[in-house]
Amino acid sequence: MITLLVSILNMSITASYVAVEVILARVLLRRAPRIFSYLLWPAVMIRLAIPVSFTSSFSLLQLVQPEGQGGTGAIEFVPHNIGTQLQPAVDPGISSAGSFINSFLPSAAPAASANPMQFILWAGSIIWLTGAAVLLLYSVISYLRILRRVRTATLVMDNIYETDQITTPFVCGFVKPRIYLPVGIGAHELSYIVLHEQTHISRRDYLIKPLMYLLVIIHWFNPLMCLSYALMSMDMEMSCDETVVKKLGPQIKASYSGSLLAHSIRRSGLFTGSPLAFGESSVKARIKNILAYRQPNSGVVAGSILVIVTLIVGCTANPKPVLNSPQSLYSGYAVDQLMESKTNFVGDNSKVVALIGEMPLPAGLEGAGIELKTGSRPYELTINYSMKDAPGMMKDGAISMEIFYRNSILLFSLIDNVDSIINVIADHTGQYEGVTASYTFTREQVEEQLGEDARLYAADEAGLRQLIDRLESLSVFDLGARSETKDIFASEPANRDN
């Protein structure tokens, strides 16, 4: 549930930036027919519904790309592992906004087994799901009320029905949409009212509007999405009005506006998110638009199409990740990468795996997975290795512990609450009869030898380099590390000729 909430938050933030760009583009297109403004909203809908997208050097989201964004196909303003970060942080793409938001996020306590952010995310996911469920239930009930009102409607012709239970014409239905008309519509206004509703059907507005409404329910916590829904509905209705005027001629403007005013309705639960009502909201703006409508010239059409294509492509494409130059190693360690993967909890699997992956290993040794003990103290990390080539692993006739010792100390500094690190090496060379060796290091032992808390060195890259320098002068034998089978590989290899 938390993972889903984080994905929803990232989609909502991305869609918010796209919505702002669409709203600005509507200003540029204010003299163009509203169909062009209406065609911009799919960019917002795509971002609300799909968490991943293609990457392109042409992306209008380039300026708000989070730092360190990888090529995963998804933009992460809220990191997926924010619940396990020592200092939770989001990157909304605007530094000042990020600093303000992050100042309210609680820091983690190194000694705790759970991060306060995890509880906040859990509570937030419950609130989000509850809100979405209530709104969805309300909409379903409203739609059922509509169906109940029109169940006695009389067929006039084709898909047009008439009933005395409604006061304004509208389209209703998802599979076979119907046009419902109130009783008493005059013959003079019937033609353009029906044409208006038929335009909705031919453009599949009866599917587009409920889909957008469903997306708004999912992102109900974002007021900008509610505004987008209202503006999209306005553009939808105005573009239908313009189609009617275009087909029937400008002489109907006065009577058409009068009908619109006569059949106008107030937004209510009956029509929430479901039908396409003839007089639905924004009547004053629609009448002004009808009276001002003129056939656009070719230049306006060409310019509007260019704006639409540019915005839809630019807003649906993710910016290409900035490729960092290869990082230099410091005594065999990629310090910057280690700092990026630093974590407060040993249970942060992705960070821990990333840290272990950055640790240098001798030739002949390969990683073979990890095991975590996080249920209670002491918190343990077991790192499994597979020995593929014995000569690369041996030193003075026995397996060398030095590399495990140094790597473990660095892990103690970078994983705040791990208490014990166990290195398990299994023989897969066939020379030692599949023997397994285990080397255990504890935080208490390490801090006793260092004379201070190893975590102090991981405050920044300079401190981590200082710790690496100290490791050159420290000896594993001074540490007194426990080794269950420390010298097991010192014996002669098995005789395969016997």
Side-chain angles (χ1 to χ4, degrees):
M1 184 63 69
I2 291 177
T3 301
L4 177 60
L5 176 62
V6 172
S7 296
I8 294 295
L9 287 173
N10 283 315
M11 286 192 290
S12 197
I13 295 172
T14 305
S16 294
Y17 287 120
V18 174
V20 170
E21 294 179 2
V22 168
I23 292 172
L24 293 176
R26 289 175 79 252
V27 177
L28 294 176
L29 298 174
R30 64 185 181 278
R31 296 187 182 280
R34 284 304 179 103
I35 185 62
F36 296 114
S37 296
Y38 180 45
L39 291 175
L40 295 175
W41 293 108
V44 178
M45 297 176 67
I46 289 172
R47 284 302 190 175
L48 286 174
I50 305 176
V52 298
S53 184
F54 64 96
T55 59
S56 172
S57 55
F58 175 71
S59 174
L60 297 180
L61 298 173
Q62 191 73 48
L63 295 178
V64 294
Q65 181 182 15
E67 293 183 5
Q69 190 68 54
T72 61
I75 300 180
E76 288 192 353
F77 298 97
V78 181
H80 70 282
N81 63 336
I82 189 173
T84 56
Q85 290 180 342
L86 176 61
Q87 180 57 61
V90 299
D91 185 2
I94 303 175
S95 57
S96 57
S99 300
F100 177 76
I101 295 172
N102 294 335
S103 65
F104 292 97
L105 300 181
S107 301
S113 60
N115 192 322
M117 270 305 297
Q118 292 176 317
F119 174 76
I120 293 175
L121 290 172
W122 175 83
S125 64
I126 297 299
I127 294 172
W128 163 71
L129 185 61
T130 301
V134 169
L135 290 173
L136 182 61
L137 179 61
Y138 176 74
S139 299
V140 170
I141 293 175
S142 298
Y143 188 72
L144 293 177
R145 289 176 59 197
I146 293 172
L147 295 181
R148 186 179 61 185
R149 284 201 174 193
V150 299
R151 70 182 185 276
T152 59
T154 303
L155 176 63
V156 178
M157 58 178 292
D158 298 329
N159 64 334
I160 303 174
Y161 290 76
E162 187 179 58
T163 177
D164 60 358
Q165 297 298 308
I166 59 177
T167 58
T168 188
F170 63 84
V171 172
C172 187
F174 298 113
V175 179
K176 294 181 179 180
R178 297 177 175 181
I179 299 174
Y180 292 96
L181 303 175
V183 174
I185 291 182
H188 69 285
E189 60 180 353
L190 183 62
S191 60
Y192 45 74
I193 290 177
V194 171
L195 180 57
H196 177 101
E197 304 302 345
Q198 287 176 337
T199 302
H200 278 311
I201 293 176
S202 63
R203 296 190 323 192
R204 303 295 189 272
D205 289 343
Y206 61 90
L207 296 176
I208 295 173
K209 186 173 182 180
L211 176 59
M212 181 61 174
Y213 187 74
L214 177 61
L215 293 173
V216 171
I217 288 177
I218 295 173
H219 299 264
W220 62 266
F221 53 86
N222 188 341
L224 194 55
M225 295 305 100
C226 298
L227 174 62
S228 297
Y229 176 76
L231 293 176
M232 189 202 77
S233 298
M234 183 187 300
D235 291 337
M236 176 188 292
E237 296 300 332
M238 286 185 176
S239 61
C240 281
D241 296 337
E242 292 171 348
T243 298
V244 173
V245 174
K246 179 181 178 181
K247 289 185 176 181
L248 299 182
Q251 68 275 4
I252 70 160
K253 286 183 178 182
S255 58
Y256 185 75
S257 300
S259 297
L260 189 63
L261 184 61
H263 292 285
S264 64
I265 63 169
R266 294 183 178 180
R267 189 178 295 271
S268 65
L270 178 62
F271 290 98
T272 298
S274 298
L276 297 162
F278 175 71
E280 183 181 10
S281 71
S282 306
V283 173
K284 181 178 179 180
R286 287 173 61 185
I287 291 175
K288 291 176 62 177
N289 184 67
I290 291 169
L291 297 177
Y293 175 72
R294 298 289 185 275
Q295 279 280 80
N297 57 44
S298 58
V300 172
V301 173
S304 300
I305 293 174
L306 179 61
V307 171
I308 292 171
V309 172
T310 300
L311 190 139
I312 291 181
V313 174
C315 287
T316 55
N318 287 346
K320 282 189 173 181
V322 179
L323 299 178
N324 297 322
S325 58
Q327 302 296 323
S328 59
L329 300 180
Y330 187 80
S331 297
Y333 295 95
V335 175
D336 57 336
Q337 297 298 321
L338 292 176
M339 290 299 298
E340 283 187 14
S341 299
K342 176 184 173 183
T343 179
N344 185 54
F345 297 100
V346 69
D348 185 357
N349 188 71
S350 60
K351 291 283 189 179
V352 172
V353 170
L355 286 171
I356 295 172
E358 294 294 337
M359 297 293 161
L361 295 175
L365 195 67
E366 297 179 0
I370 66 171
E371 298 172 25
L372 303 174
K373 176 180 174 292
T374 59
S376 60
R377 291 282 192 180
Y379 302 134
E380 294 180 355
L381 165 63
T382 300
I383 311 172
N384 297 303
Y385 298 101
S386 174
M387 188 170 70
K388 303 292 186 179
D389 179 35
M393 285 293 302
M394 309 307 287
K395 180 180 180 181
D396 297 329
I399 191 169
S400 173
M401 295 175 59
E402 296 292 337
I403 189 65
F404 306 112
Y405 165 61
R406 294 175 181 175
N407 288 351
S408 295
I409 291 180
L410 281 173
L411 290 173
F412 277 123
S413 70
L414 293 162
I415 306 173
D416 282 22
N417 75 338
V418 65
D419 299 311
S420 179
I421 297 177
I422 306 169
N423 300 270
V424 178
I425 305 96
D427 170 48
H428 289 93
T429 65
Q431 300 182 50
Y432 296 95
E433 300 287 1
V435 170
T436 299
S438 177
Y439 304 108
T440 300
F441 304 93
T442 67
R443 182 176 294 279
E444 183 181 0
Q445 292 170 321
V446 168
E447 293 183 355
E448 182 178 352
Q449 186 173 21
L450 291 177
E452 56 188 330
D453 191 337
R455 291 169 289 202
L456 298 176
Y457 287 94
D460 50 38
E461 291 188 15
L464 202 58
R465 292 191 185 94
Q466 183 182 357
L467 177 59
I468 293 172
D469 290 338
R470 283 201 62 182
L471 296 181
E472 299 292 336
S473 61
L474 296 176
S475 170
V476 66
F477 299 106
D478 295 333
L479 182 65
R482 299 190 306 275
S483 170
E484 296 176 7
T485 55
K486 177 178 175 182
D487 299 318
I488 195 69
F489 293 110
S491 59
E492 290 295 328
N495 188 348
R496 300 299 176 191
D497 296 328
N498 294 334

